[in-house]
Short mmCIF file of all heavy atoms in Angstrom, two decimals:
data_model
loop_
_atom_site.label_atom_id
_atom_site.label_comp_id
_atom_site.label_asym_id
_atom_site.label_seq_id
_atom_site.Cartn_x
_atom_site.Cartn_y
_atom_site.Cartn_z
N SER R 6 167.57 36.56 158.80
CA SER R 6 167.24 35.51 159.72
C SER R 6 166.96 34.23 158.94
O SER R 6 166.14 34.25 158.09
CB SER R 6 165.98 35.85 160.51
OG SER R 6 165.46 34.74 161.18
N ILE R 7 167.74 33.19 159.10
CA ILE R 7 167.51 31.96 158.41
C ILE R 7 166.91 30.98 159.38
O ILE R 7 167.47 30.70 160.41
CB ILE R 7 168.83 31.45 157.83
CG1 ILE R 7 169.47 32.35 156.87
CG2 ILE R 7 168.55 30.07 157.26
CD1 ILE R 7 170.83 31.93 156.43
N ARG R 8 165.70 30.61 159.07
CA ARG R 8 165.01 29.58 159.95
C ARG R 8 165.61 28.27 159.90
O ARG R 8 165.92 27.74 158.88
CB ARG R 8 163.49 29.59 159.57
CG ARG R 8 162.75 30.89 159.63
CD ARG R 8 161.31 30.68 159.45
NE ARG R 8 160.64 31.90 159.38
CZ ARG R 8 160.24 32.61 160.44
NH1 ARG R 8 160.52 32.16 161.64
NH2 ARG R 8 159.58 33.74 160.32
N THR R 9 165.73 27.68 161.12
CA THR R 9 166.35 26.37 161.20
C THR R 9 165.33 25.28 161.46
O THR R 9 165.75 24.18 161.70
CB THR R 9 167.41 26.36 162.31
OG1 THR R 9 166.82 26.70 163.53
CG2 THR R 9 168.58 27.29 161.99
N ARG R 10 164.08 25.64 161.37
CA ARG R 10 162.98 24.66 161.51
C ARG R 10 161.78 25.18 160.76
O ARG R 10 161.70 26.37 160.51
CB ARG R 10 162.60 24.48 162.94
CG ARG R 10 162.15 25.67 163.62
CD ARG R 10 161.90 25.45 165.14
NE ARG R 10 161.55 26.71 165.71
CZ ARG R 10 160.35 27.22 165.75
NH1 ARG R 10 159.31 26.57 165.21
NH2 ARG R 10 159.98 28.36 166.38
N LYS R 11 160.91 24.26 160.38
CA LYS R 11 159.62 24.68 159.76
C LYS R 11 158.76 25.42 160.79
O LYS R 11 158.61 25.00 161.92
CB LYS R 11 158.88 23.50 159.19
CG LYS R 11 159.53 22.94 157.93
CD LYS R 11 158.63 22.00 157.29
CE LYS R 11 159.27 21.54 155.95
NZ LYS R 11 158.39 20.59 155.26
N VAL R 12 158.17 26.49 160.33
CA VAL R 12 157.25 27.26 161.19
C VAL R 12 156.06 27.71 160.38
O VAL R 12 156.16 27.81 159.11
CB VAL R 12 157.93 28.52 161.86
CG1 VAL R 12 159.04 28.11 162.78
CG2 VAL R 12 158.46 29.49 160.75
N SER R 13 154.95 28.02 160.96
CA SER R 13 153.86 28.59 160.28
C SER R 13 154.14 30.10 160.11
O SER R 13 154.92 30.69 160.84
CB SER R 13 152.56 28.36 161.01
OG SER R 13 152.55 29.21 162.16
N SER R 14 153.48 30.77 159.15
CA SER R 14 153.75 32.07 158.86
C SER R 14 153.35 32.99 160.04
O SER R 14 153.81 34.14 160.10
CB SER R 14 153.04 32.54 157.63
OG SER R 14 151.61 32.41 157.81
N SER R 15 152.56 32.51 161.01
CA SER R 15 152.19 33.33 162.08
C SER R 15 153.13 33.22 163.33
O SER R 15 152.95 33.87 164.29
CB SER R 15 150.74 32.99 162.58
OG SER R 15 150.75 31.63 162.95
N ASP R 16 154.14 32.29 163.22
CA ASP R 16 155.02 32.03 164.35
C ASP R 16 155.87 33.19 164.77
O ASP R 16 156.09 33.47 165.96
CB ASP R 16 155.92 30.85 164.14
CG ASP R 16 155.23 29.49 164.40
OD1 ASP R 16 154.13 29.55 164.92
OD2 ASP R 16 155.81 28.51 164.07
N ASP R 17 156.35 33.99 163.78
CA ASP R 17 157.26 35.07 164.06
C ASP R 17 156.99 36.27 163.11
O ASP R 17 157.89 36.59 162.34
CB ASP R 17 158.70 34.65 164.10
CG ASP R 17 159.71 35.72 164.56
OD1 ASP R 17 159.16 36.67 165.23
OD2 ASP R 17 160.86 35.61 164.28
N PRO R 18 155.83 36.84 163.27
CA PRO R 18 155.55 37.97 162.31
C PRO R 18 156.43 39.23 162.64
O PRO R 18 156.63 40.08 161.84
CB PRO R 18 154.10 38.28 162.58
CG PRO R 18 153.81 37.79 163.97
CD PRO R 18 154.73 36.59 164.16
N SER R 19 156.97 39.32 163.84
CA SER R 19 157.77 40.46 164.32
C SER R 19 158.96 40.68 163.44
O SER R 19 159.41 41.75 163.15
CB SER R 19 158.12 40.40 165.75
OG SER R 19 158.90 39.27 166.01
N ALA R 20 159.61 39.58 163.02
CA ALA R 20 160.82 39.70 162.19
C ALA R 20 160.52 40.38 160.90
O ALA R 20 161.31 41.24 160.46
CB ALA R 20 161.43 38.26 161.92
N ARG R 21 159.35 40.13 160.26
CA ARG R 21 159.02 40.64 158.98
C ARG R 21 158.72 42.17 159.07
O ARG R 21 158.86 42.85 158.18
CB ARG R 21 157.89 39.86 158.41
CG ARG R 21 158.27 38.49 158.06
CD ARG R 21 157.21 37.81 157.27
NE ARG R 21 155.98 37.63 158.05
CZ ARG R 21 155.75 36.54 158.81
NH1 ARG R 21 156.63 35.60 159.02
NH2 ARG R 21 154.56 36.43 159.47
N VAL R 22 158.28 42.59 160.24
CA VAL R 22 157.99 44.03 160.36
C VAL R 22 159.11 44.87 161.00
O VAL R 22 158.96 46.06 161.22
CB VAL R 22 156.58 44.32 161.10
CG1 VAL R 22 155.45 43.68 160.34
CG2 VAL R 22 156.70 43.82 162.49
N MET R 23 160.19 44.19 161.33
CA MET R 23 161.36 44.87 161.99
C MET R 23 162.50 45.08 160.99
O MET R 23 163.63 45.48 161.37
CB MET R 23 161.84 44.14 163.17
CG MET R 23 160.78 44.11 164.32
SD MET R 23 161.25 43.11 165.69
CE MET R 23 162.88 43.52 166.04
N GLY R 24 162.28 44.85 159.67
CA GLY R 24 163.30 45.10 158.74
C GLY R 24 164.36 43.91 158.63
O GLY R 24 165.40 44.06 158.08
N VAL R 25 163.94 42.78 159.13
CA VAL R 25 164.79 41.57 159.06
C VAL R 25 164.26 40.72 157.93
O VAL R 25 163.10 40.48 157.81
CB VAL R 25 164.74 40.75 160.37
CG1 VAL R 25 165.50 39.45 160.26
CG2 VAL R 25 165.27 41.63 161.53
N LEU R 26 165.17 40.15 157.12
CA LEU R 26 164.72 39.34 155.94
C LEU R 26 164.68 37.91 156.50
O LEU R 26 165.72 37.25 156.65
CB LEU R 26 165.72 39.41 154.81
CG LEU R 26 165.39 38.55 153.61
CD1 LEU R 26 164.11 38.83 153.03
CD2 LEU R 26 166.51 38.72 152.56
N PRO R 27 163.53 37.38 156.79
CA PRO R 27 163.40 36.00 157.20
C PRO R 27 163.48 35.00 156.01
O PRO R 27 162.76 35.15 155.10
CB PRO R 27 162.08 35.93 157.93
CG PRO R 27 161.21 36.98 157.24
CD PRO R 27 162.22 38.03 156.76
N LEU R 28 164.40 34.07 156.16
CA LEU R 28 164.54 33.08 155.06
C LEU R 28 164.30 31.67 155.68
O LEU R 28 164.57 31.45 156.88
CB LEU R 28 165.98 33.13 154.50
CG LEU R 28 166.41 34.43 153.90
CD1 LEU R 28 167.84 34.30 153.47
CD2 LEU R 28 165.52 34.82 152.73
N GLN R 29 163.79 30.78 154.84
CA GLN R 29 163.55 29.45 155.30
C GLN R 29 164.27 28.43 154.35
O GLN R 29 164.29 28.67 153.15
CB GLN R 29 162.05 29.18 155.29
CG GLN R 29 161.67 27.74 155.70
CD GLN R 29 160.15 27.62 155.72
OE1 GLN R 29 159.43 28.49 156.17
NE2 GLN R 29 159.72 26.45 155.30
N PHE R 30 164.85 27.42 154.96
CA PHE R 30 165.46 26.41 154.05
C PHE R 30 164.45 25.83 153.19
O PHE R 30 163.27 25.70 153.52
CB PHE R 30 166.10 25.33 154.99
CG PHE R 30 167.29 25.75 155.71
CD1 PHE R 30 167.23 25.81 157.10
CD2 PHE R 30 168.47 25.94 155.05
CE1 PHE R 30 168.35 26.21 157.80
CE2 PHE R 30 169.62 26.30 155.77
CZ PHE R 30 169.54 26.47 157.11
#
Side-chain angles (χ1 to χ4, degrees):
S6 168
I7 300 174
R8 297 190 185 279
T9 58
R10 61 184 175 86
K11 285 189 175 183
V12 294
S13 72
S14 61
S15 62
D16 278 352
D17 188 14
S19 62
R21 293 188 295 273
V22 298
M23 292 176 48
V25 174
L26 178 60
L28 301 176
Q29 180 178 319
F30 290 111

